[in-house]
Amino acid sequence: MPFDPVETWRTMQVKVWPEEYFLVDLPFEHADLAFAALKETEARYCAVTRDQFGFSLVIDSETWARLGIGNKERVHFGPLKVLSTDSELPFDVPGFIRTAIEPVNARGLKAAPICGLRSDHFFTGANTIDEVVEIFRSFAAEVRYD
């Protein structure tokens, strides 16, 4: 039987990663940079998605600059901050992401999700992180800056 998303959020701890990040669009011919980003970052969070358009990276600003990704990307957005669930997440929770995104979007803010098996992640503008944290605090058990 599925878990209730509201009740699940009431048990969730959320952390805000200290680094600033960029969401980057890389074409297929720069796969080496996408893999280098995963391998070489020293930040606590990094995500690479490959789809029909190329690679999307959520990469910390230090690694982005050090690898020269800005010279190869098509576009980037940022700076961003990343929030991650820091509690064991049951897999069978329909509506879990929606429960977090709806109140953020209702305030005219953005928090885009990236799902993991054990943890979910949300990235949002660095300039709105405090507002997004306050919204998350209204439904999560705890939100802390790491």
Side-chain angles (χ1 to χ4, degrees):
M1 181 157 177
F3 290 88
D4 178 86
V6 174
E7 290 302 316
T8 302
W9 269 111
R10 289 184 183 144
T11 69
M12 284 291 113
Q13 296 177 14
V14 176
K15 61 184 165 192
V16 180
W17 298 109
E19 302 88 3
E20 287 191 342
Y21 295 83
F22 286 103
L23 175 60
V24 178
D25 177 33
L26 279 177
F28 287 119
E29 60 265 22
H30 297 300
D32 58 327
L33 276 177
F35 296 122
L38 284 171
K39 184 178 178 184
E40 297 183 25
T41 185
E42 293 183 12
R44 295 182 253 182
Y45 182 83
C46 180
V48 175
T49 302
R50 180 182 183 260
D51 60 23
Q52 69 272 25
F53 301 110
F55 295 93
S56 296
L57 285 72
V58 178
I59 185 74
D60 64 285
S61 57
E62 183 180 308
T63 303
W64 176 76
R66 184 170 31 85
L67 293 178
I69 293 173
N71 299 324
K72 308 291 184 189
E73 67 194 21
R74 289 183 280 216
V75 67
H76 73 265
F77 298 99
L80 307 169
K81 295 295 273 186
V82 174
L83 301 91
S84 297
T85 57
D86 198 23
S87 305
E88 190 68 29
L89 178 61
F91 190 67
D92 192 11
V93 188
F96 182 76
I97 299 294
R98 184 185 70 238
T99 301
I101 297 300
E102 282 182 347
V104 172
N105 289 345
R107 290 248 191 94
L109 304 168
K110 299 291 180 202
I114 297 177
C115 299
L117 181 60
R118 295 185 60 195
S119 184
D120 287 333
H121 314 278
F122 303 84
F123 56 93
T124 189
N127 62 335
T128 61
I129 187 62
D130 293 333
E131 292 173 85
V132 172
V133 163
E134 286 309 309
I135 295 167
F136 270 68
R137 283 187 173 141
S138 72
F139 55 80
E142 176 188 6
V143 182
R144 69 182 185 285
Y145 291 85
D146 255 15

